[in-house]
Amino acid sequence: MPRVLYFALAAVATVLPWTITATPRVVNMDFVKTRSAQPSLRRRAGTVLTPLNNNADLQYLANISVGTPPQSFIVQIDTGSSDLWIPSTKSDLCQAQDCSKTGEFDDNASSTVQSTGADFHIQYGDQSEYAGLLVTDTVVIGQASLKNAEFGLVTQSANVPQGNGDASSGFTTNGVWGISFDSAQSDVVEENTKQYTGIVGLMKKEGLISRMAYSLWLNDPDAAAGSILFGGVDNDKFEAPLIGLPIVPLSESRQVSAMNVEFTSLTLNYNGKTSVVQDNVVRSAILDSGTTGTIFPNDLATTFLKFFGAVTDPSVPQPLVSCSLANADAQFVYQFGGSSGPKISVPVADLVEPHITGLQFKDGSDACLLGVSGAEIDFLLLGDTFLRSAYVVYDLESKTIALAQTKLNVSSSDVQEITGDTIPGVQTVVASLAMPSPTATPSAIFGPEQTGLNQPDPNFDGHLTENAAKASFTAGAQSTGSSGSKGGSSGSSGSNSAASSQKIPSMVAAYLVCGAVSAMSILFGGLFMIR
């Protein structure tokens, strides 16, 4: 009987309960969408479904419970980190903020909690830090119980944004469930300690899934549901072909510890014409659900922004474009793995986000945020503004990622279990290309030395000096500042919230695109750990 763990993402006010069916064996949990106040972070017989909460700043949150008797928690699911942690009732985080909505763990109330004797510490790219103890206890995902699961019980934190504990303004007290490689666990990287079996590995050990693999379908941000399917592939959620790519090392260590594939070209399709943004390259590209925007290396970002006529403003951390571009019938096409690799089309509309402060250009047209920025790095960080257009299968055992163009707002399912080295539906796995070494370490994009595209202009006179409507393609009908219509045949909604989720380990960072929070609190996105 196939084993797959299926998590659904639901755009509702609260996280919905899981359900389990005997045939096929499925654990189903619905998720909700809420606004993040922090910068950024699904079984057929044999599948487990966990619903995710997609924050308005596009955090994906899930309900779990921990301990005996069970205590409830909302945690952020992140493909860019590898540790599960939750806050303690004794934590300074829950003393300073209201943790009642997201959960706080009372170890005195659990009869099954045990200390491992090890400390826990993790730091993210937005400089937030969390520390405490590494403990074991029973973790329940839906109705699936995982005994002796290891996780961080956080008692101390630093540099954490303040919030009111309400989903509408963004949770700042939720824990994080990292589902990347166990080799990327924080203390393995920082202290060279022995890695433990993470939650995905425990799912396989307990027979919930046959393979340490999962499929990510973010869907339209305005839709009622998306999903992460552990142990399987849903053939109804993508347009064939589904093409495999090797996960490759990001650094000279040659250790595979991030969801990193080889990007080879980017083109713009508009009005029957194709313009090359960058071609015939081999660059690292990290696919991270904990990041809502996209970060390019500066050279690629500079070229990319010229297609939009984008300008910068010291009051916001993202490039600005005309809001009318949300109506442009144009698509950027990413290709990976060379000419035989998969192509993913991302509508221009998905990259344009209204700025709530109402900035305008000198001609009176509304200025919107663009969900792409640049930094002094030599890899691409592709967050939700890209991932919403892709169906992504992550196989941790074969170290393979398979990509296909997503189908949006699909209610049907055709789930196949992943049982061996071959991902169902994948006809081809392209070979790895020659990957150049990075020219800058990830830490170069953090702190005062940051050299991204959005540096304040000391001579800024309070007005934008260019009209961002001067893009290389026609924007179409003027927008009123809303996100406008969807662009492209397979693109997701133009009401993309290009903000980044809070917790990002330092391997990479992304700018948060949300005009509702301060510039400092929205500079970074993604959940990659500080190395």
Side-chain angles (χ1 to χ4, degrees):
M1 180 178 294
R3 292 184 295 275
V4 183
L5 180 58
Y6 206 129
F7 290 72
L9 314 172
V12 294
T14 57
V15 181
L16 303 179
W18 296 68
T19 58
I20 293 181
T21 61
T23 306
R25 287 186 292 169
V26 176
V27 179
N28 182 27
M29 177 181 119
D30 292 329
F31 289 73
V32 298
K33 298 180 180 182
T34 66
R35 179 170 294 279
S36 171
Q38 302 169 328
S40 358
L41 316 141
R42 304 175 200 242
R43 181 181 185 177
R44 169 171 158 165
T47 68
V48 180
L49 173 64
T50 303
L52 302 176
N53 166 30
N54 182 359
N55 248 337
D57 286 348
L58 299 183
Q59 279 183 332
Y60 292 89
L61 306 179
N63 268 359
I64 65 171
S65 61
V66 180
T68 308
Q71 302 175 42
S72 297
F73 293 88
I74 293 176
V75 293
Q76 180 180 355
I77 289 188
D78 174 43
T79 62
S81 62
S82 304
D83 296 278
L84 169 66
W85 67 261
I86 55 176
S88 166
T89 54
K90 306 179 183 72
S91 67
D92 55 4
L93 180 66
C94 294
Q95 297 298 319
Q97 302 189 53
D98 180 9
C99 291
S100 62
K101 299 288 180 61
T102 54
E104 50 189 319
F105 188 70
D106 183 355
D107 57 290
N108 292 323
S110 176
S111 62
T112 49
V113 66
Q114 297 287 331
S115 173
T116 66
D119 293 333
F120 173 80
H121 173 263
I122 191 167
Q123 183 179 12
Y124 296 102
D126 62 349
Q127 303 304 309
S128 62
E129 292 186 66
Y130 303 86
L133 300 174
L134 191 64
V135 302
T136 66
D137 208 339
T138 299
V139 174
V140 178
I141 300 173
Q143 297 173 3
S145 181
L146 303 173
K147 296 181 178 180
N148 300 315
E150 293 192 42
F151 59 90
L153 182 58
V154 166
T155 56
Q156 295 178 296
S157 60
N159 305 321
V160 179
Q162 296 294 305
N164 61 13
D166 186 83
S168 63
S169 61
F171 291 132
T172 58
T173 57
N174 58 272
V176 173
W177 175 12
I179 55 175
S180 187
F181 296 99
D182 288 349
S183 59
Q185 291 162 357
S186 178
D187 288 330
V188 174
V189 173
E190 294 181 5
E191 305 293 338
N192 198 29
T193 59
K194 183 180 179 180
Q195 68 188 47
Y196 57 87
T197 302
I199 299 297
V200 179
L202 287 178
M203 289 179 188
K204 180 180 177 180
K205 183 178 179 181
E206 295 294 327
L208 296 173
I209 57 178
S210 296
R211 186 82 172 172
M212 291 175 59
Y214 48 87
S215 303
L216 188 66
W217 181 62
L218 295 189
N219 203 6
D220 188 318
D222 292 333
S227 65
I228 180 170
L229 177 64
F230 285 91
V233 174
D234 191 339
N235 295 314
D236 283 357
K237 300 299 192 295
F238 63 87
E239 298 176 3
L242 182 65
I243 300 177
L245 297 162
I247 301 175
V248 296
L250 181 66
S251 67
E252 294 178 351
S253 70
R254 312 315 296 169
Q255 181 179 13
V256 173
S257 59
M259 301 305 182
N260 179 46
V261 295
E262 294 170 330
F263 160 84
T264 51
S265 74
L266 179 64
T267 56
L268 169 68
N269 289 344
Y270 170 67
N271 200 24
K273 298 179 181 179
T274 298
S275 301
V276 174
V277 181
Q278 192 166 75
D279 200 3
N280 298 318
V281 297
V282 182
R283 300 186 101 150
S284 293
I286 298 173
L287 310 181
D288 177 30
S289 68
T291 298
T292 60
T294 294
I295 278 195
F296 288 155
N298 269 339
D299 65 305
L300 175 55
T302 299
T303 303
F304 183 86
L305 295 179
K306 287 180 180 178
F307 281 84
F308 288 88
V311 298
T312 58
D313 182 284
S315 68
V316 291
Q318 291 296 130
L320 293 162
V321 296
S322 171
C323 292
S324 63
L325 295 182
N327 296 317
D329 185 12
Q331 303 82 36
F332 283 98
V333 180
Y334 295 75
Q335 184 156 32
F336 304 87
S339 58
S340 300
K343 294 181 178 181
I344 303 297
S345 176
V346 177
V348 167
D350 276 14
L351 304 176
V352 180
E353 171 68 13
H355 185 48
I356 64 172
T357 58
L359 287 176
Q360 291 186 328
F361 294 101
K362 285 186 175 181
D363 65 0
S365 61
D366 292 325
C368 278
L369 296 164
L370 183 67
V372 176
S373 292
E376 286 292 339
I377 52 177
D378 198 48
F379 54 87
L380 290 75
L381 176 59
L382 302 179
D384 296 338
T385 51
F386 169 83
L387 292 173
R388 283 197 298 272
S389 296
Y391 187 86
V392 189
V393 185
Y394 302 82
D395 188 334
L396 303 182
E397 295 188 48
S398 66
K399 297 181 174 60
T400 300
I401 285 177
L403 289 173
Q405 191 73 37
T406 192
K407 288 183 179 179
L408 299 177
N409 302 310
V410 177
S411 58
S412 62
S413 290
D414 176 17
V415 173
Q416 287 185 271
E417 181 186 3
I418 303 173
T419 58
D421 289 342
T422 302
I423 298 171
V426 172
Q427 302 298 319
T428 302
V429 178
V430 301
S432 177
L433 304 170
M435 179 70 73
S437 299
T439 57
T441 61
S443 61
I445 61 177
F446 299 106
E449 72 277 21
Q450 182 183 341
T451 56
L453 294 178
N454 297 318
Q455 298 302 305
D457 181 355
N459 300 315
F460 181 65
D461 62 2
H463 297 280
L464 297 174
T465 57
E466 296 182 38
N467 184 351
K470 296 177 181 177
S472 61
F473 46 88
T474 303
Q478 283 289 328
S479 166
T480 59
S482 63
S483 57
S485 62
K486 298 176 177 61
S489 59
S490 59
S492 51
S493 168
S495 73
N496 156 47
S497 175
S500 298
S501 80
Q502 171 196 3
K503 303 167 179 71
I504 324 159
S506 84
M507 201 156 39
V508 290
Y511 295 116
L512 175 67
V513 182
C514 178
V517 295
S518 67
M520 286 304 296
S521 70
I522 60 178
L523 281 176
F524 301 102
L527 292 183
F528 284 90
M529 296 185 299
I530 296 287
R531 302 301 192 195

